[in-house]
Amino acid sequence: MAADEGSRTLIIWRHGETEHNASGIWQGQLDTPLSDKGREQALSAAATLAAYEPSVIVSSDLQRAADTAGSLASRMGLQVRYDERLREIHAGLWQGMTAGDVAGQFPVEQAALRAGEDIQRGGHGESMGQVAKRTREAVEDLLATLAPGDTAVIATHGVAGRTVVAGLVGLDQHTAWQCFAGLRNCHWAEVHEYAGAWRIVTWNVGANPL
């Protein structure tokens, strides 16, 4: 089915690689910078995303997302809007730990997640439901400013990006977690508006083939 004339497009874009990504460390809301590789990824992705001619770029205020967004904004002559509601999930005590350490030190919580329970990560962090609520509010505020035919780019994070897409298409977060492979660094999803609803057009697209 073709998109309606004047339908809007959202590009949900995960930030470039950080040293924590490369080392398998939980970042959550730690404010880690892009690595050299991540900055190169952002520049390469920006060259591809420019073809969408976005009119708006909104970003998480964490520097890895903000700097990724900046690579596209400078190319397009746009100002980035920052929104802390687009931050990554807060992972509580797990932030700064490797995935292996988390699995070893928090076996009960890991078992609960595998069973599909939506617990707060790392004891005092966030649940997926909490992330979905705040990211949905951010997207609704963005959509209220978009004219027919506009394209907006949302620079965010892996978990937060998946919650945005799932919320737009009406998919529950547990199903999304089970069905969607994680967004790779500097890869994105393209979501189009059809007759007042939203559909995923592409998932995990990047400047270079996987």
Side-chain angles (χ1 to χ4, degrees):
M1 179 185 295
D4 298 333
E5 183 178 353
S7 66
R8 298 171 295 180
T9 300
L10 294 181
I11 304 296
I12 294 83
W13 185 22
R14 188 186 178 195
H15 61 80
E17 186 179 273
T18 68
E19 294 296 341
H20 276 36
N21 290 143
S23 301
I25 295 172
W26 275 81
Q27 290 176 110
Q29 294 188 9
L30 296 178
D31 201 9
T32 50
L34 294 175
S35 63
D36 290 343
K37 179 179 179 180
R39 284 186 285 274
E40 292 173 0
Q41 289 175 329
L43 290 171
S44 181
T48 300
L49 289 173
Y52 286 95
E53 299 183 350
S55 57
V56 179
I57 303 172
V58 183
S59 176
S60 158
D61 62 343
L62 296 177
Q63 62 177 314
R64 59 190 185 272
D67 288 349
T68 298
S71 65
L72 178 61
S74 61
R75 193 178 190 94
M76 302 301 301
L78 296 172
Q79 294 292 320
V80 180
R81 302 181 191 173
Y82 301 104
D83 193 330
E84 66 180 15
R85 294 174 296 180
L86 296 171
R87 289 182 178 184
E88 183 59 297
I89 188 170
H90 195 296
L93 296 173
W94 300 352
Q95 295 186 166
M97 297 178 65
T98 66
D101 286 342
V102 169
Q105 296 181 37
F106 296 88
V108 174
E109 291 85 348
Q110 292 294 295
L113 290 176
R114 288 194 296 272
E117 296 179 37
D118 187 23
I119 63 170
Q120 289 179 269
R121 274 57 171 174
H124 64 271
E126 290 180 298
S127 67
M128 290 297 298
Q130 290 172 315
V131 178
K133 181 178 184 296
R134 63 170 165 82
T135 56
R136 182 63 186 180
E137 290 170 352
V139 171
E140 287 175 350
D141 287 349
L142 168 62
L143 292 175
T145 70
L146 289 186
D150 277 356
T151 294
V153 172
I154 299 173
T156 184
H157 308 265
V159 172
R162 188 179 64 219
T163 66
V164 167
V165 174
L168 281 167
V169 302
L171 191 64
D172 73 85
Q173 296 297 330
H174 181 64
T175 300
W177 174 73
Q178 288 183 312
C179 296
F180 292 164
L183 283 173
R184 293 164 64 97
N185 285 118
C186 245
H187 284 59
W188 58 87
E190 180 180 346
V191 188
H192 285 196
E193 188 177 30
Y194 294 84
W198 292 88
R199 291 184 177 179
I200 300 167
V201 177
T202 62
W203 177 262
N204 241 339
V205 178
N208 301 305
L210 292 178

